[in-house]
Amino acid sequence: MGSLNLATLALGLAAGLDALAALAHLACIALGAPAYRVMGAGERMARAAEAGQWRPTLVTLVIATGLAAMAFYAGAAAAQLPPLPLQRVLLLTFAAVLLVRALAFPWLKPMFPDNSARFWWVSSGICLVMALAHGWGAWRLG
């Protein structure tokens, strides 16, 4: 299998993970506080969702929208469609943001004390896999 095929496979994986993560975030909005708790977002977010505050919904919607955009770009690149505007730059930027998020959790954790240890380890591991898939795929597509 050539590097182009492996690159499209990596970007297809990235697109799928992005889409699943976006749907998981939307599920938190739809299901409310219990979903925020299961996802490990912290008791403060869960209680705010229970109280009907707008902040959990807005934060979660912004994250879901970013993930959906990443899924769109990675999916278009994986399908070898005509390049989207700034496709390679954005895919590499997505990879860099995800890599920083994955590796920076020890410094981020004190800022979000309600988030569970499981949340930090699982979400950081997922972000690392997503970063590698986006970055490697975009780099190999050239």
Side-chain angles (χ1 to χ4, degrees):
M1 191 180 289
S3 64
L4 183 61
N5 290 335
L6 289 176
T8 58
L9 184 64
L11 288 165
L13 172 66
L17 291 172
D18 294 338
L20 285 173
L23 289 174
H25 282 80
L26 292 175
C28 284
I29 294 170
L31 300 174
Y36 281 102
R37 286 186 181 100
V38 167
M39 296 286 284
E43 192 57 31
R44 190 178 344 158
M45 282 286 271
R47 276 185 269 149
E50 282 176 333
Q53 294 177 10
W54 59 268
R55 189 173 186 274
T57 299
L58 180 63
V59 168
T60 307
L61 191 57
V62 167
I63 294 168
T65 301
L67 289 163
M70 289 196 298
F72 181 74
Y73 267 80
Q80 298 178 8
L81 298 175
L84 296 169
L86 302 171
Q87 179 172 288
R88 188 165 189 246
V89 170
L90 287 176
L91 288 170
L92 291 171
T93 301
F94 296 155
V97 168
L98 288 164
L99 184 61
V100 167
R101 166 54 187 85
L103 299 177
F105 86 89
W107 296 278
L108 292 170
K109 192 175 177 182
M111 296 168 57
F112 302 93
D114 287 343
N115 290 17
S116 67
R118 178 185 56 168
F119 168 84
W120 287 109
W121 285 105
V122 170
S123 64
S124 295
I126 292 169
C127 286
L128 180 60
V129 170
M130 291 168 72
L132 295 173
H134 282 93
W136 193 81
W139 188 261
R140 296 302 297 173
L141 280 181

